Amino acid sequence: MKISEVAEKAGLTVKAVRYYENVGLIPKPARQQNGYRSYDDSVLPILNLIHRSRAAGFSVDECRELIELFNNPARHSADVHELICQKVEAIEKQQAQLEHIKEHLIALASRCENNEKSTCSILASLTK
Amino acid sequence: MKISEVAEKAGLTVKAVRYYENVGLIPKPARQQNGYRSYDDSVLPILNLIHRSRAAGFSVDECRELIELFNNPARHSADVHELICQKVEAIEKQQAQLEHIKEHLIALASRCENNEKSTCSILASLTK
DNA sequence: CTTAAACCTTACCCTTGCAGTAAGGTCAAG
DNA sequence: CTTGACCTTACTGCAAGGGTAAGGTTTAAG
């Protein structure tokens, strides 16, 4: 398989696949005579794992941990469970922050004159 | 005022103040004989605006828009209101995404064996 | 047979919002 | 006189690739 083919099968871009190789997430593939990367199917589970966990908000470094667990036959499923739960907590923290900011903005907006004049209590409040 | 003084008054780092100058958010200040930047109080409202709106999730470019409105005596307060509301909508979009991801992760975790064995339906699901 | 499209390669710059560091100048206190 | 706390510019780095250049290859069509 050439790179565009694995990329498409995994739902990734060619650029991304080469990037994951550069940062060591996936092993360096064999090369054809012409220098083209030559993949076999064994890379697909890892690429799928990367694609899905990136989409689920994991950083590339966190993907690395997941891949190590995936590659480790002596892993405990509880370790994977733990990683997922940590991510859920991180997301909840982020949600709380966003909620906080949103409420602040809504409070600002509600005090706004919202008309064609230049007097603006939002700007007044933000520059104080 | 020297740079560390304005920075502290606005709750910013010296680095950040110089950065905002470089990207044109604040005007280039006068210089003392020794080359040190010399600020007067007029920069403080702008720095406060930057500090608060950055904390509220605005990008530096969005801060630029706010500053332009702040500097424009012919502004309409409705325009400021509009910017805030757009930001609120963006935050809500982000919240919805996070919620989506979180639910996905929770669903994964709930199906996990969560024990000392290596069989892991999370990894199975992510690599499929 | 030739050419153009569609691949592939490496390598470098761009993004965001600064922080860190180097290498140096300046200023006040002890 | 020296130490320490400031200040200056300038360069590098972070995340996670995207965009582009400049070139080699292959394949389908004319």
Side-chain angles (χ1 to χ4, degrees):
Chain A
M1 259 192 301
K2 283 192 269 188
I3 193 169
S4 62
E5 206 175 335
V6 270
E8 201 194 338
K9 283 193 183 177
L12 296 166
T13 66
V14 167
K15 266 291 199 194
V17 174
R18 278 195 285 247
Y19 174 74
Y20 297 142
E21 177 188 332
N22 280 336
V23 297
L25 284 198
I26 56 177
K28 287 185 188 294
R31 298 286 184 144
Q32 295 175 354
Q33 296 254 334
N34 53 19
Y36 290 12
R37 287 169 179 79
S38 177
Y39 296 91
D40 59 84
D41 286 348
S42 68
V43 78
L44 281 176
I46 305 188
L47 288 179
N48 284 332
L49 177 60
I50 297 173
H51 175 61
R52 300 235 164 80
S53 27
R54 291 284 299 126
F58 285 82
S59 72
V60 166
D61 263 358
E62 289 166 332
C63 289
R64 199 187 309 276
E65 293 184 58
L66 283 170
I67 291 170
E68 277 166 22
L69 286 174
F70 174 71
N71 286 332
N72 178 7
R75 69 174 173 258
H76 296 181
S77 76
D79 296 338
V80 185
H81 189 268
E82 177 62 18
L83 275 185
I84 304 289
C85 289
Q86 281 174 14
K87 196 68 196 174
V88 168
E89 282 177 33
I91 289 175
E92 283 170 352
K93 221 172 241 174
Q94 219 182 323
Q95 285 182 317
Q97 270 187 31
L98 283 179
E99 189 57 31
H100 195 65
I101 288 173
K102 191 176 81 172
E103 282 166 15
H104 177 59
L105 289 180
I106 289 176
L108 274 181
S110 72
R111 286 191 280 116
C112 179
E113 291 74 6
N114 195 13
N115 58 25
E116 79 291 345
K117 298 198 186 143
S118 69
T119 310
C120 179
S121 53
I122 296 177
L123 287 178
S125 165
L126 290 174
T127 56
K128 235 184 321 189
Chain B
M1 259 194 303
K2 283 192 268 190
I3 193 169
S4 62
E5 207 176 334
V6 270
E8 201 196 338
K9 283 192 184 178
L12 297 166
T13 66
V14 168
K15 269 291 198 194
V17 174
R18 277 196 284 249
Y19 174 74
Y20 297 142
E21 178 188 332
N22 281 336
V23 298
L25 284 198
I26 56 176
K28 288 185 187 294
R31 298 287 183 142
Q32 295 174 355
Q33 296 255 330
N34 53 20
Y36 290 11
R37 286 170 180 79
S38 178
Y39 295 92
D40 59 83
D41 287 347
S42 67
V43 78
L44 281 175
I46 303 188
L47 288 178
N48 284 331
L49 176 60
I50 298 173
H51 175 60
R52 300 234 166 81
S53 27
R54 291 286 298 128
F58 286 82
S59 72
V60 167
D61 262 357
E62 289 167 333
C63 289
R64 200 189 308 276
E65 294 184 56
L66 283 170
I67 291 170
E68 275 165 23
L69 286 175
F70 175 70
N71 286 331
N72 178 7
R75 71 177 171 253
H76 296 182
S77 76
D79 295 340
V80 184
H81 190 268
E82 176 61 17
L83 275 184
I84 304 289
C85 290
Q86 281 175 13
K87 196 69 197 176
V88 168
E89 280 177 36
I91 289 176
E92 283 170 353
K93 218 172 245 174
Q94 218 182 325
Q95 284 183 316
Q97 271 189 29
L98 283 179
E99 189 58 29
H100 195 67
I101 289 173
K102 193 176 80 173
E103 282 166 16
H104 178 59
L105 290 179
I106 289 177
L108 274 181
S110 73
R111 285 191 280 117
C112 179
E113 292 73 7
N114 194 13
N115 59 24
E116 79 291 345
K117 297 199 185 143
S118 69
T119 310
C120 180
S121 53
I122 296 179
L123 287 178
S125 166
L126 291 175
T127 56
K128 237 182 318 186

